[in-house]
Amino acid sequence: MESQKSSIQSLVNTIKRDVLSVMGSHSFLSPSPYDTAWLAMIPDPHRHERPMFEGCLNWVLQNQNEEGFWGYHDYDRHEMPGGVECLASTLVCMTVLKKWHAGSPLIEKGLKFIHKNAELLLSRYTHGKFSRWIAIVLPGMVELARASSLEVVFPESVDRALADLFINRRQILEMEELVDKNQYCPLLSYLEALPSTYKISHETILKHLDSDGSLFQSPSATSRAYLSTGNEACLAYLQSLASNCASSGIPSFYPVDEDLTKLSMVHQLVRLGLTEYFNRENDEILAKIYRNYKHEKEITKSIHLIAAELYKDCLEFWLLRMHGYRVSPSSFCWFLNHEEVRDHIEKHYEYFSSVLLYIYRASNLMLPDEYKLEKARIFSKKFLEKIASRETRDSSIISSSHCRMIEHELGLPWMARLDHLEHRTWMEEKDACVLWMGKFQYNRPSFVHNQDIVQLALQNYVLRQSVYRMELDVVKRWSETTGLRKMGFGREKTLYSYFAVAASISLPCNSDVRVLVAKSAIMITVADDFFDMEGSLEDLEKLTNAVQRWDGEGLTAHAKTIFEALDDLVTDFRMKCFKQSGKDIKKNLQEIWGETFHSWLMEAKWSKSGGAPPTQEYLDVGMTSIAAHILVLPSSCLASPTTPLHQLWSNAYQPITKLLMVITRLLNDIQSYEKEEKQGKLNFVLLYLKENPEASIEDSINFVQLLLEQLKKEFLLHVLEELCNLPEPSRRLHLGCLKVFHMFFNSSNRYDSETGMLHDIQKALVVPPRVPKLKPLRPLPEQLGPKPREFVTKSLYGQVGLERFPRKSFVGYRISSRTGPVDRWEKMYKSSNFKLCFA
């Protein structure tokens, strides 16, 4: 394990040195072969036989895929070597190579690729219904390639499709205005692809240039604008772009807001579960972002650039609020008050899918009385549900990976998600981190292909799995030794308890908190079941009295076992806390367990007598009997060792703790009322129904759900905005505890299910993540610098491979610079002798 930690630290140091320290807007977006080729198309004004931007040509020379195309693999369709956009990229890359008499073998390979794969790539478009961008760009690139004497031969089977494409383009050119506000991207932004017969005056082009000299911040369109007009502002833009990006490839959108670059990097580290390694860097970035946030900013001048701005505003709000900064929903909900913007999003909701997703995610952090945020949530959800149900006008826009992320967001409430599994999802989905839609594909941050970040996320997750398995063994042994696993009644939930605690919140790897909280959860489950189904009233009173005076004399059988296990747990908690911080929490522990046992006794008396207390009295007892406070208050002493005990834990519980206790009780009751009604037990849903005889069971459930929504907003207010005196680690423990209960009681009672969570447990503790096989495009090394006519034949960087860890470490494989199939992960898991026993 020490070697794993050393490898992780080495990667952390590399990322800090090579990524974070040089992070800038010019390197933020992934390179676009299409746009890079268009810059390479421009001749040097002093040497017409050479390109002005040789670095762009060299990049094209070195970044053809093995299959013969330029672009990214589409791993949603395994039989398909690239998405349909690779046809346009491949055509323009071959054209620029032909123009400069370079890379003849690459051209031949590209021509073969097109002939072999064109039918497959175009087959998803039936009955002549092509995406607008395809109908504009692909015919233009076919014409460009053929005009340069490239012998582009398509198979006969696509003749009909190609004819339909050209017909579609003619219809678009006849119907649309050059700069039409009703289009996500106007025709003029595709200037490089428009046919020569479509006459556009220089004055029209220059009229629509942005202040930075670009045409809609599109490098390819601006390249065509410069070739047509020779405008100096266009040239200055292209020169700035090339000087910053030529060696790593030209992005499809430039420039990018510098704050967005930094926000996206912090977001990626958070979503991958890597913040513990970069706390200082993240804090510095967010502090600077917040200083800028507080200043007034004007909304972008162009409706066609609104997606990037709104994406940034949503991400900024989410990150700042999640990290305790006070921010207003108005910082991104402004679009609701701009009818033109709102209508634009509604008309093109498929193109805004990632932006709508981030609006919806931001609304997860809704606080009381944030009505604008509620409206934004309703607005975004309406269109996301259309996308998730495949009710889109153009299915080619949204990848299946991106669609799965939308389904995940809609299908599982944020409050019911466990951090550890969320980190895995972020790793495994290729399009988890897509940005906003460009002219014909989603913009992606370049760091999703950074192999150091990928390796770090993977190794960190696998390291945690190995730590969690060892801790699970400790918890199992304790449960065996104390006799709690052999009680002969009730629910044996050792595995469930530990899994929920470990996966709910990202505590440091060496934390004692997980084991002690898991033991507490096991203790609560066994004792609660003893009060519910096993002990006589006399047994329960004796056990409760013993706990309250903390003396087990006279107890026998199950009651004695429970008390002795509880005493062992309290002693362990007390000693670890005293050793770490000098705090003696013995009295606090005994009192909190004493009041909880008393609440269980009260409920048992109600159940056995058939009495029905008022809902408020029931809730006063029930919020204690759910025992959520036992999970967070003692553990807060370990998580915040320097905070005074009276601040962490006093007889008068903090509002955040009281809210947690009430919410968890109601979450339990709303999913277990049917079972508890059969057992003759009390439940808030049933008591409300009794007090309101005119109401139906649906009315009662709706009442509880509305109450929960309001209480959760108040709870988040205390978690995120420091309204209580608890330090940040304690507040995060409260949030993690609520997430566990929400996960258990989201749509059913998963805690009482024998198999309901086994798949999630496997993913959390055993099976390593399967990271998408993304192959990064290669930047130019400074030491090479080949001439335009040279053809680089050797790969500059090794492909991602796998290197096995020592068998005894049980981690499996880690990504290295050697080759090897990623699916060996699964083989390692299946062939290993590690068995996770489900009790």
Side-chain angles (χ1 to χ4, degrees), residues 398-643:
I398 300 165
S399 71
S400 58
S401 175
H402 183 41
C403 198
R404 284 192 298 271
M405 293 303 294
I406 292 172
E407 292 168 349
H408 177 67
E409 194 70 37
L410 294 174
L412 187 63
W414 174 71
M415 280 280 194
R417 296 183 214 148
L418 305 184
D419 287 1
H420 185 56
L421 291 176
E422 284 296 285
H423 300 154
R424 182 188 183 109
T425 298
W426 203 257
M427 273 187 272
E428 292 185 330
E429 286 295 349
K430 174 179 73 75
D431 285 340
C433 198
V434 294
L435 304 173
W436 62 92
M437 187 71 181
K439 288 189 339 187
F440 57 78
Q441 62 184 354
Y442 273 98
N443 291 302
R444 292 175 172 83
S446 57
F447 51 68
V448 299
H449 307 297
N450 183 286
Q451 292 308 304
D452 292 323
I453 295 177
V454 172
Q455 284 191 50
L456 177 60
L458 199 52
Q459 290 188 26
N460 181 62
Y461 193 92
V462 173
L463 172 64
R464 282 184 171 273
Q465 285 181 313
S466 62
V467 170
Y468 294 167
R469 291 196 295 267
M470 288 189 291
E471 291 179 351
L472 176 59
D473 286 339
V474 171
V475 174
K476 281 182 176 179
R477 284 196 299 272
W478 177 81
S479 188
E480 281 287 349
T481 304
T482 57
L484 295 180
R485 292 192 76 180
K486 298 175 286 188
M487 298 294 277
F489 65 85
R491 301 162 293 175
E492 204 299 294
K493 296 296 180 182
T494 301
L495 179 60
Y496 275 25
S497 298
Y498 179 77
F499 153 73
V501 173
S504 63
I505 192 165
S506 300
L507 292 162
C509 268
N510 61 350
S511 176
D512 288 324
V513 172
R514 285 186 297 271
V515 169
L516 290 170
V517 175
K519 289 180 179 180
S520 301
I522 295 164
M523 186 77 251
I524 291 165
T525 302
V526 173
D528 184 47
D529 285 348
F530 181 66
F531 275 77
D532 277 351
M533 62 181 68
E534 183 68 16
S536 66
L537 196 57
E538 182 182 0
D539 291 335
L540 303 183
E541 287 177 336
K542 283 183 179 180
L543 178 56
T544 301
N545 290 334
V547 172
Q548 290 183 326
R549 69 177 189 271
W550 213 262
D551 183 354
E553 186 176 350
L555 295 177
T556 60
H558 293 319
K560 181 179 180 180
T561 301
I562 289 171
F563 181 82
E564 289 178 349
L566 177 60
D567 185 56
D568 178 82
L569 172 61
V570 166
T571 300
D572 192 12
F573 234 128
R574 177 193 179 195
M575 296 304 295
K576 281 188 168 62
C577 188
F578 188 80
K579 181 179 179 181
Q580 185 183 60
S581 64
K583 300 185 185 82
D584 189 348
I585 61 172
K586 176 182 177 181
K587 182 180 178 182
N588 302 70
L589 288 166
Q590 291 177 352
E591 287 179 351
I592 198 172
W593 280 104
E595 71 172 10
T596 303
F597 272 74
H598 181 262
S599 70
W600 289 331
L601 178 62
M602 287 291 297
E603 290 183 339
K605 288 180 176 180
W606 286 336
S607 181
K608 293 179 188 298
S609 68
T615 52
Q616 187 57 56
E617 183 181 349
Y618 165 80
L619 202 54
D620 289 341
V621 174
M623 63 186 281
T624 301
S625 67
I626 197 68
H629 59 318
I630 285 181
L631 302 177
V632 295
L633 293 180
S635 57
S636 292
C637 297
L638 288 173
S640 303
T642 60
T643 305

Side-chain angles (χ1 to χ4, degrees), residues 708-719:
L708 276 170
E709 288 306 309
Q710 184 58 35
L711 290 172
K712 284 188 284 187
K713 291 175 186 177
E714 294 179 22
F715 176 79
L716 269 183
L717 184 63
H718 289 274
V719 170

Side-chain angles (χ1 to χ4, degrees), residues 290 293-294 320-321 324-328 720-723:
Y290 187 62
Y293 165 87
K294 290 190 292 184
L320 290 176
R321 179 163 281 189
Y325 291 94
R326 294 194 176 186
V327 288
S328 168
L720 300 176
E721 295 205 351
E722 300 187 34
L723 293 183

